[in-house]
Amino acid sequence: MMGLAAIAELFAGPGARDYLGEPVTIGIHMRQAGALAAAAGAGRPLVAAALLHDIGHLRRETDSRHGDAGAQWLSQWFGAEVTEPVRLHVAAKRYLCATEPGYLEQLSAESVRTLALQGGPMTAEQAAGFEALPFAADAVAVRRWDDEAKDPEVTPPDFAHFEALLKTLMRS
Ligand code: FE
C-alpha cells in the first residue's frame, strides 16, 4: 500500500477511536496537535511530526514503545526532520519534567501515569544528553502541542486536510 493510504487507513481505523485515558480520541488528539502546530506557524515537517506523533498508538504499540516504533514505521517515507521529533516526543516529556518547574504538575492524569512506565523524569545527565540531540527542540515543540491537544470542545480538521502537506514530504 502506498504510504499516504496506509497512514489514512490508520486515522480511519479502530485505533484512532481509542481514548487512552484522555477526554478525546487518539485520532482527534493527533489532528488537534497537527492543527496547533500549523496555527503556530511551524514548518511543514514539524506540522507533520505533530500530526503523526502518536502513529505508534494507532498501530497499537505500548506506551513506552510508541515513539520509537512510530518513528521506525514512518521512516519508510519520511526523513529525520519528521521522524526524530516523533521518536523523541516521549523523551521530551521526561526532559521537561526534569528541567521545567511546574511542567509535571500541569500534565494530564494519564500522562503522569504513563510517565512512570516511560522511565520517569530524566536525570540531569540524561537531560544534557537530550538537549544535545539534533531534533531536541522540535521534539519539545511537538510535546507542548501534544499536551495541549486534548480539548473535547475543539473539532480539528479531517485527515484529508493534511494530505497535501504530507505528500510534499514523502518519498514515493
Ligand atoms: Fe500524544
Side-chain angles (χ1 to χ4, degrees):
M1 190 183 303
M2 279 184 52
L4 197 59
I7 296 167
E9 188 175 270
L10 287 177
F11 272 86
R17 295 191 286 275
D18 285 347
Y19 278 83
L20 300 181
E22 300 288 359
V24 295
T25 66
I26 193 75
I28 289 173
H29 165 67
M30 292 169 72
R31 290 184 283 115
Q32 282 188 5
L36 285 166
R44 287 170 169 237
L46 200 48
V47 173
L51 173 71
L52 301 172
H53 77 277
D54 277 338
I55 200 90
H57 278 318
L58 296 189
R59 291 172 49 75
R60 301 270 164 86
E61 296 286 351
T62 58
D63 288 312
S64 55
R65 282 210 13 96
H66 80 275
D68 281 331
Q72 177 67 36
W73 188 73
L74 290 170
S75 70
Q76 299 176 83
W77 309 292
F78 295 97
E81 69 282 9
V82 175
T83 62
E84 281 297 278
V86 172
R87 184 173 75 83
L88 295 172
H89 84 275
V90 175
K93 176 169 86 170
R94 299 181 54 225
Y95 168 79
L96 286 167
C97 286
T99 59
E100 190 166 286
Y103 177 78
L104 197 155
E105 287 70 24
Q106 53 84 52
L107 287 175
S108 69
E110 179 62 10
S111 207
V112 172
R113 188 187 72 79
T114 56
L115 174 67
L117 306 171
Q118 293 158 346
M122 286 183 172
T123 63
E125 195 182 354
Q126 288 171 333
F130 176 82
E131 270 173 21
L133 297 173
F135 292 95
D138 285 351
V140 167
V142 167
R143 184 66 224 181
R144 294 191 193 282
W145 295 314
D146 183 2
D147 293 330
E148 207 183 322
K150 300 175 177 181
D151 188 343
E153 305 297 318
V154 172
T155 303
D158 293 337
F159 177 77
H161 169 84
F162 297 100
E163 284 186 341
L165 177 146
L166 293 179
K167 256 186 207 163
T168 66
L169 298 167
M170 296 177 84
R171 294 186 287 267
S172 51

